[in-house]
Amino acid sequence: MTSMTHDGPKITGGVDTHGLTHHAALIDPLGRHLTDREFPATIVGYRDLLDWMRSHGTLTAVGVEGTGAYGAELARVLTAAGVTVVDVDRPDRKTRRMRGKSDPIDAYAAATAVASGRATGVPKSRDGLVEAVRVLRVARRSAVKARTQATNQIRSMLVSAPAVLREQLAGLERAALIRTLARLRSGADLSTPLAATKAALRRLARRHQALDEEITELDSEIGPLVRQAAPELLALFGVGPETAGQLLASAGDNPERMRSEGAFAHLAGVAPIPASSGRTHRHRLNRGGDRAANNALHTIVLVRMRYDERTRAYVARRTKEGLSKKDITRCLKRFVAREVYRVLTSTAPSHITRNDLAPAA
């Protein structure tokens, strides 16, 4: 075990992460390259990497590439040891064309990005209840996508199916259609198009039913976790377990890493982007950020525009002022992002009045 030294010259670390190995590098306060080394991506390797860094001086911070992927466990280990971890984006294509590409180069670039202040992002901790919600939602999203694919395949196959089968199934709603198809009998001989089509439709329908059961089971598992993690979030008008789960997953277990509600708005892609030039002064829609979080906010706004009297009055007022529906929706999404941020960071306002919708514009 390398001896650990916590005094001495200040150093900054950088790590280029991969599936099997991590390459670490160290620089001094002037940005000079000190040393680099490769470590296995294992628990023992993570501890050896930390000890190796600390043996060279006082470790001020470590920039890690891919804290949401290959570097997730390393970030957890470093954070648990009291090290400041900074999430570093990989170098852009222009930089890579100029400097080349290798593990040491990327590790030194990560350290330099932290020392220069270019990289400041705090990674998600991924060690609590919200991470549990996120991983379960990954399975649910996959099941929903597969169910939609099965539905589309059934519809497509029915278009070209033999007329006798199409007429038998005409006019059935989706639930009744799936139940009927799951009971189809094709017989042992599948050499005719009618028999083969029945067999294929039966398998697709049974797959649809299995996915329905899987999604229902996941909903029963995710719902209590979301209520436990953020009951105040579910109390907001228009917020259900699905949208709340997505907003929690986007914010992470440590939402305090977002410095302001404006930072959360940028994360969710609802912060207006300046698009002014010359005598034209305007803002445009932000198409960046976490699109899943943006979709969750959009769903909440649609529910409020239909059922919330306060929101409907706001829409009517802004429509009279000449705003388009797209602009009104953008304003409302920005307002909802402000509400969600206050709840996620446990700084909920005492009371939101009707007039508080105005700053959303």
Side-chain angles (χ1 to χ4, degrees):
M1 181 72 70
T2 305
S3 61
M4 294 168 53
T5 303
H6 293 278
D7 50 2
K10 292 184 178 181
I11 56 175
T12 303
V15 184
D16 181 32
T17 60
H18 299 280
L20 300 178
T21 61
H22 293 342
H23 202 99
L26 295 172
I27 63 174
D28 66 10
L30 297 179
R32 293 175 296 196
H33 294 188
L34 299 178
T35 182
D36 63 273
R37 182 177 167 185
E38 187 175 82
F39 295 87
T42 61
I43 292 295
V44 175
Y46 302 147
R47 293 171 180 167
D48 290 344
L49 183 152
L50 176 59
D51 292 342
W52 174 78
M53 284 186 170
R54 281 177 165 170
S55 69
H56 288 80
T58 302
L59 190 60
T60 58
V62 177
V64 180
E65 280 191 19
T67 57
Y70 292 133
E73 183 61 25
L74 174 63
R76 282 191 284 260
V77 171
L78 294 177
T79 302
V83 177
T84 300
V85 179
V86 179
D87 186 19
V88 178
D89 293 332
R90 63 181 182 179
D92 56 28
R93 293 181 179 179
K94 180 180 179 181
T95 303
R96 288 191 168 180
R97 282 197 301 269
M98 295 173 59
R99 297 187 176 182
K101 168 77 173 73
S102 71
D103 292 347
I105 289 175
D106 288 349
Y108 279 118
T112 303
V114 175
S116 65
R118 181 176 62 84
T120 58
V122 180
K124 294 180 181 179
S125 59
R126 298 181 183 274
D127 59 356
L129 191 59
V130 173
E131 178 65 7
V133 172
R134 186 192 70 82
V135 295
L136 289 174
R137 281 183 50 78
V138 170
R140 186 188 185 280
R141 185 165 56 249
S142 174
V144 171
K145 185 176 180 179
R147 184 179 64 179
T148 301
Q149 185 181 39
T151 301
N152 293 339
Q153 289 172 338
I154 289 172
R155 299 288 188 189
S156 177
M157 193 173 294
L158 286 174
V159 171
S160 59
V164 61
L165 183 58
R166 286 205 319 269
E167 293 174 2
Q168 176 186 349
L169 302 171
L172 293 179
E173 296 183 355
R174 188 183 68 170
L177 177 64
I178 296 299
R179 289 194 299 270
T180 303
L181 293 178
R183 296 193 298 265
L184 285 179
R185 296 184 179 274
S186 58
D189 184 11
L190 300 180
S191 59
T192 64
L194 178 60
T197 302
K198 286 183 177 181
L201 288 171
R202 182 184 63 206
R203 286 187 173 89
L204 287 172
R206 291 181 177 179
R207 181 186 305 171
H208 191 287
Q209 290 177 330
L211 290 168
D212 262 338
E213 295 177 1
E214 181 179 343
I215 293 169
T216 301
E217 181 180 348
L218 284 166
D219 284 339
S220 66
E221 295 169 347
I222 295 173
L225 294 179
V226 172
R227 286 191 291 272
Q228 181 181 348
E232 299 87 357
L233 185 59
L234 288 171
L236 294 179
F237 194 100
V239 180
E242 175 64 17
T243 51
Q246 179 56 60
L247 293 172
L248 284 171
S250 298
D253 283 293
N254 50 335
E256 65 278 1
R257 67 193 179 90
M258 297 176 289
R259 298 180 298 275
S260 65
E261 53 92 12
F264 176 70
H266 274 285
L267 172 67
V270 296
I273 302 297
S276 302
S277 178
R279 290 179 294 179
T280 301
H281 300 279
R282 69 183 187 90
H283 288 76
R284 67 170 176 85
L285 193 66
N286 187 348
R287 302 191 184 279
D290 188 334
R291 303 316 296 172
N294 188 284
N295 182 68
L297 293 176
H298 189 78
T299 301
I300 296 170
V301 167
L302 291 181
V303 172
R304 291 188 177 190
M305 290 174 71
R306 185 169 184 178
Y307 299 106
D308 183 23
E309 290 299 327
R310 178 185 58 167
T311 305
R312 293 175 66 180
Y314 174 80
V315 172
R317 176 169 62 84
R318 298 296 279 173
T319 301
K320 290 181 180 179
E321 294 175 0
L323 263 69
S324 66
K325 184 177 180 180
K326 180 184 293 186
D327 288 335
I328 294 173
T329 302
R330 174 184 62 77
C331 294
L332 288 171
K333 286 164 72 172
R334 183 66 177 84
F335 174 75
V336 174
R338 184 177 296 119
E339 277 190 330
V340 170
Y341 174 80
R342 289 169 176 171
V343 171
L344 290 177
T345 55
S346 300
T347 56
S350 58
H351 184 66
I352 298 177
T353 65
R354 292 176 180 269
N355 294 332
D356 285 329
L357 277 174

